[in-house]
Amino acid sequence: QVQLVESGGGLVQPGGSLRLSCAASGNIININTMAWYRQAPGKQRELVADISSAGNTNYADSVKGRFTISRDNAKNTVYLQMNSLKPEDTAVYYCNAGAITTTFGKVRGSQYWGQGTQVTVSS
C-alpha cells in the first residue's frame, strides 16, 4: 500500500552532518505523523524524532538541539537534518509513517516502515 524509501545515510566524521530523506509512495490519501527511528547493534529500536501533520515535533533527549525533523507534504517526504554527529549516533535509521490509503475501494489507516539507511559516525 505504502512504500517508504530512505536515503542520505553514509559515513561521516564526528562533528559532521548528514541529511536523511524518506519518500513515501502508494495510494495515499493522507500521511499523518512521520517519524525517524534508529537501531544500533545490540540495542532496541528507539524513536529519534517525529512530526505531526500540523508540524508539531518531538525529539529524543539524546538528539535535541542537534537534529531537526521536517516534512514536505507536497512531496510526501520527511527529512532529518543531523548536525554535530557523534559516534553514538551510529545506527540504522528507519522512516515510519502513519498513512491513510485506499485498497480495493476501502479506506484504511496503517503504520509503515522503510527498509532503513545506515549512518556511521567514525574517524
Side-chain angles (χ1 to χ4, degrees):
Q1 291 296 313
V2 174
Q3 296 78 45
L4 301 177
V5 180
E6 302 98 336
S7 62
L11 175 65
V12 65
Q13 293 185 341
S17 298
L18 285 174
R19 187 177 187 239
L20 305 183
S21 299
C22 173
S25 62
N27 297 324
I28 301 169
I29 297 175
N30 186 52
I31 299 178
N32 298 315
T33 300
M34 304 187 78
W36 287 97
Y37 288 75
R38 68 185 181 187
Q39 187 168 23
K43 293 188 176 182
Q44 189 175 356
R45 187 175 298 186
E46 64 175 349
L47 176 65
V48 177
D50 61 41
I51 182 168
S52 72
S53 59
N56 298 316
T57 59
N58 294 289
Y59 297 92
D61 288 339
S62 59
V63 307
K64 198 171 298 181
R66 299 187 297 121
F67 292 9
T68 302
I69 189 170
S70 61
R71 62 191 290 171
D72 185 337
N73 292 331
K75 297 180 179 180
N76 287 333
T77 300
V78 63
Y79 306 93
L80 186 67
Q81 179 66 47
M82 304 185 294
N83 299 326
S84 302
L85 284 162
K86 305 174 181 179
E88 50 263 45
D89 294 318
T90 296
V92 177
Y93 284 70
Y94 296 91
C95 179
N96 174 272
I100 300 173
T101 63
T102 59
T103 304
F104 301 109
K106 300 287 186 178
V107 176
R108 289 178 169 82
S110 300
Q111 293 289 323
Y112 299 91
W113 290 93
Q115 292 302 117
T117 184
Q118 177 71 49
V119 171
T120 302
V121 184
S122 176
S123 298

